[in-house]
Amino acid sequence: MLSIAILGLAAGLDFILGDPWGWTHPVQVMGWAIDRGKARLLAWEAWSQGQRWGGVALTVAVVGGSGGVGWLLVAGGNVLDPRLGGAIATVLLASCFAGRSLRHAAQSVLEPLRLGDLDLARSHLALYVGRDTTDLSEAEILRAVLETVTENAVDGVLAPLFYGLLGAAIPGLGSVPLALAYKAASTLDSMVGYRAAPYTHLGWFSARFEDGFTWLPCRCAVVTLALLSGQPRRVLAVCRRDAPQDPSPNAGWSECVYAAIVGVQMGGVNRYGGQLKTKPLLGDPLRPISPDRIREAMALTRLCFLVWLGLGCAILWGLSLV
């Protein structure tokens, strides 16, 4: 019962408040730890094997440490007062859900775009994407927003819930440790999980670890969204056709299922640091990408989140009666 209450309250807290401005966020603490660790490891510039093993150690320390600290904080709160432990668990778990933050990021770009201010839309978009934004057209801005909200739907919203539910089903563990561990893996991948220098050796393990950590919730999300679309065979056929073309084992599937459902095509040519990079085309261009299509995709994410939350809590309730 307590796990169900914590999950529901955390979901509500993220929906209503998101990440309050000025508050220290667990991801900031993770980022600080990663920065400290990578600075030391990158100093081993001439020792590639040392960087590779250092990347393994950094991943284990950050991911394991995040989950362990989360468990200790909740357990310590429970020792003092179960209500305090529940409150700590709720806040920490809510910090793992990025639903409101993702919606805010999209809206911060769509609003100036609606007003015709392309320069402001580009500058806001640059805060959330890695591609060059200075000369993007309106259509390219809209594609970038849609690709961002669909790629991050899994690692920012659905996967943390998946691991929160899984942790809640494990006696003595709870939702927080696994959700925080996943968040740490995702943060580590975003900071050092690159094939390019200087992270070629340091980031290899964190990138593969995060890929493996995300694989199952990503596939569960694809199946759930396909079922919610009412056309699962068509949607899954498009995903099987296009998603494997993406070099990422998860991002292509996450983006493609949304593209298939809302009837748009994502992918194409992007510019990163002045260099052109072509991403595979995902979905069919049945409709142009528009603000309405982006809102439709975000609504699908919220619906999938609620379905998982409801089913997960029902399973937890059933387990409590066994």
Side-chain angles (χ1 to χ4, degrees), residues 129-191:
V129 301
R131 72 192 70 182
D132 299 342
T133 65
T134 52
D135 58 353
L136 293 184
S137 66
E138 180 176 350
E140 290 171 322
I141 292 172
L142 288 169
R143 175 167 67 86
V145 173
L146 184 58
E147 289 174 353
T148 298
V149 299
T150 55
E151 179 181 351
N152 288 286
V154 171
D155 57 16
V157 182
L158 298 173
L161 174 62
F162 178 91
Y163 284 108
L165 290 167
L166 181 61
I170 301 174
L173 185 61
S175 298
V176 170
L178 278 184
L180 278 177
Y182 177 79
K183 204 70 177 178
S186 180
T187 303
L188 191 62
D189 178 58
S190 69
M191 293 181 67

Side-chain angles (χ1 to χ4, degrees), residues 130-135 270-277:
R131 72 192 70 182
D132 299 342
T133 65
T134 52
D135 58 353
N270 299 323
R271 189 184 300 272
Y272 297 87
Q275 301 296 315
L276 293 179
K277 181 178 179 181

Side-chain angles (χ1 to χ4, degrees), residues 192-265:
V192 302
Y194 301 101
R195 295 181 180 179
Y199 302 113
T200 308
H201 303 292
L202 176 62
W204 74 276
F205 184 76
S206 61
R208 293 182 183 180
F209 184 84
E210 196 273 344
D211 285 342
F213 218 170
T214 306
W215 192 93
L216 182 56
C218 180
R219 269 60 185 180
C220 290
V222 168
V223 172
T224 305
L225 289 165
L227 290 172
L228 291 174
S229 74
Q231 299 178 308
R233 290 187 179 181
R234 182 188 66 81
V235 170
L236 291 175
V238 173
C239 289
R240 286 193 295 267
R241 183 193 71 193
D242 295 343
Q245 308 308 314
D246 194 286
S248 168
N250 299 309
W253 287 89
S254 180
E255 292 182 29
C256 192
V257 68
Y258 285 94
I261 293 172
V262 303
V264 301
Q265 187 173 75

Side-chain angles (χ1 to χ4, degrees), residues 238-316:
V238 173
C239 289
R240 286 193 295 267
R241 183 193 71 193
D242 295 343
Q245 308 308 314
D246 194 286
S248 168
N250 299 309
W253 287 89
S254 180
E255 292 182 29
C256 192
V257 68
Y258 285 94
I261 293 172
V262 303
V264 301
Q265 187 173 75
M266 289 188 270
V269 178
N270 299 323
R271 189 184 300 272
Y272 297 87
Q275 301 296 315
L276 293 179
K277 181 178 179 181
T278 302
K279 293 188 65 177
L281 298 176
L282 306 173
D284 299 309
L286 305 177
R287 298 192 289 182
I289 298 175
S290 68
D292 285 342
R293 302 291 80 74
I294 294 171
R295 295 187 185 97
E296 185 179 345
M298 292 191 291
L300 281 167
T301 302
R302 289 196 297 273
L303 181 57
C304 184
F305 184 94
L306 290 173
V307 167
W308 281 16
L309 181 63
L311 287 175
C313 288
I315 293 171
L316 290 172

